[in-house]
Amino acid sequence: MTLVLTIESTCDETAAAVINDRLEVLGAVVASQEKFHERFGGVVPEIASRAHVERILPVIDSTLAKAGVTLADLDAIAVANRPGLAGSLLVGLMAAKTLALALDLPLIAIDHLQAHIYACRLAAGHDVFPCIGLIVSGGHSNIYRCETPLDFTPLGGTIDDAAGEAFDKVASMLGLGFPGGPALQRAAEKGDPRKFRLPRPLLDDDSRLEFSFSGLKTAVRYHLFGAGRPTMDAETLDPQLVADMAASFQAAVIDCLAGKAMLALDKTGFKRLCIGGGVAANRPFRERMEQLAAERKIELHIPPLSLCTDNAVMGAIALEKFNAGKFETLELEISAGLERPHLAPGSARG
């Protein structure tokens, strides 16, 4: 039986997992850093990388213990080396390289975004490819044509903020705290999604598979504080206004994500949609996608909540590379920044 140790440190979660060639998770650990970044209203890269340094070895050790295996039992080491925060990626990569060298084991590179879609494969228990892949995370809102687990073609994505980033920024405006996604969803439960008429950028443009959430975020600010005026203390906002704005904003984002996902299916003729990333944990979004899938007779796959946020279990995609013999040398480097499909191939923007 093949055993692979997967390591995830692309942003602010330090995670590891041991997975076998039957895609069974023998052990998995995630160490969150939310408390470290909460007072800053977002992830601070330097704090994240320092926390990874402190946690990476204990997380790996705990994972092996949970799995009931030792380093000597492993057949390969896999690590997410793209995309993400440079310092965070380097911590995971150095740990993986060290283990691969010391144990004389193959080294496998994981694309974090492809892994998010592969979480759908794990949850389904059967092959889900080919499909349209929609990634909705803190830094990415991207659409891919996924012929196989390892063959992704970009179809479109955000031209500015990602949906998750917009959730965090609007939650901050409303004084809802960090991380913004879960807090904003809770506030929206008491609000009226039709209270504010917010824009749905690019939704009516059927020629483009792109998103834009920066203008939507600005529209929220103008509704709350007025154009050209400084942002006021969120504590001065009426609680019902906060709830209504949260609900209205959430509805606008869901409309944009759902609309472009359906457009991608129409343009390609695919009948299978896989969604991954932290925003996929949003309950109203999941419900909307389930409704649309039923109406359009589309096969929909969204992972359970535990596999939506960053984790090392989705690194099981490394087994696909192991079986294909796709290994890396110790010259493997990170590819930091954000993947933006509208940019030139291979480029990234930080």
Side-chain angles (χ1 to χ4, degrees):
M1 183 179 296
T2 302
L3 295 180
V4 176
L5 171 69
T6 63
I7 298 172
E8 158 67 35
S9 67
T10 56
C11 189
D12 62 333
E13 309 285 1
T14 312
V18 174
I19 305 164
N20 65 24
D21 51 9
R22 290 184 292 207
L23 298 183
E24 296 171 333
V25 181
L26 305 186
V29 173
V30 178
S32 174
Q33 299 181 16
E34 285 183 6
K35 295 296 183 183
F36 298 157
H37 305 283
E38 185 175 15
R39 69 189 181 99
F40 300 103
V43 177
V44 181
E46 181 63 21
I47 293 176
S49 58
R50 286 175 179 270
H52 284 307
V53 170
E54 295 174 354
R55 294 164 173 231
I56 189 72
L57 293 182
V59 164
I60 291 173
D61 188 56
S62 296
T63 300
L64 294 171
K66 276 194 170 185
V69 301
T70 67
L71 291 173
D73 297 317
L74 300 176
D75 295 289
I77 307 295
V79 61
N81 73 315
R82 62 177 299 162
L85 300 175
S88 296
L89 288 166
L90 282 170
V91 175
L93 181 60
M94 290 303 102
K97 283 185 177 183
T98 301
L99 288 172
L101 177 62
L103 301 171
D104 192 24
L105 293 177
L107 178 65
I108 301 173
I110 296 172
D111 184 307
H112 178 78
L113 301 183
Q114 292 183 356
H116 266 311
I117 297 302
Y118 199 76
C120 294
R121 163 69 180 88
L122 292 174
H126 58 78
D127 192 16
V128 297
F129 299 94
C131 67
I132 292 299
L134 172 63
I135 296 168
V136 282
S137 66
H140 296 88
S141 294
N142 294 357
I143 302 175
Y144 295 90
R145 180 188 184 112
C146 312
E147 294 290 347
T148 74
L150 304 178
D151 182 8
F152 280 43
T153 301
L155 297 180
T158 183
I159 61 176
D160 41 58
D161 289 353
E165 182 181 1
F167 265 101
D168 283 341
K169 290 179 178 178
V170 170
S172 179
M173 284 186 219
L174 296 173
L176 297 175
F178 176 83
L184 193 142
Q185 178 184 314
R186 288 192 297 271
E189 292 172 356
K190 300 178 181 179
D192 179 0
R194 295 174 296 277
K195 182 68 174 180
F196 295 98
R197 296 184 61 183
L198 297 176
R200 271 70 171 165
L202 304 181
L203 184 57
D204 294 331
D205 188 346
D206 291 342
S207 67
R208 304 168 67 183
L209 289 173
E210 293 178 329
F211 306 100
S212 174
F213 296 109
S214 180
L216 173 58
K217 176 190 64 182
T218 301
V220 171
R221 183 184 180 282
Y222 285 175
H223 273 287
L224 293 175
F225 310 113
R229 297 177 60 187
T231 301
M232 297 170 60
D233 191 335
E235 293 182 0
T236 65
L237 298 176
D238 178 76
Q240 189 58 53
L241 182 149
V242 170
D244 290 339
M245 181 56 78
S248 298
F249 168 78
Q250 179 176 254
V253 172
I254 291 173
D255 283 349
C256 293
L257 294 175
K260 292 299 182 179
M262 295 303 110
L263 181 60
L265 291 166
D266 292 342
K267 283 181 172 292
T268 60
F270 280 34
K271 292 295 184 180
R272 183 184 295 134
L273 174 65
C274 293
I275 305 176
V279 178
N282 179 276
R283 180 179 51 77
F285 173 63
R286 295 169 78 95
E287 291 173 350
R288 168 70 70 81
M289 300 313 296
E290 289 167 358
Q291 176 190 357
L292 288 173
E295 291 173 355
R296 296 181 173 227
K297 295 181 173 54
I298 294 164
E299 183 182 332
L300 175 67
H301 296 279
I302 308 179
L305 302 188
S306 62
L307 292 182
C308 289
T309 52
D310 290 353
N311 62 86
V313 172
M314 64 190 193
I317 193 173
L319 271 301
E320 302 283 349
K321 285 195 168 185
F322 185 93
N323 293 332
K326 293 182 178 295
F327 305 128
E328 307 292 337
T329 70
L330 293 178
E331 302 300 314
L332 177 66
E333 297 182 353
I334 63 167
S335 178
L338 301 173
E339 295 286 337
R340 291 293 185 256
H342 67 285
L343 298 177
S347 64
R349 182 174 67 188

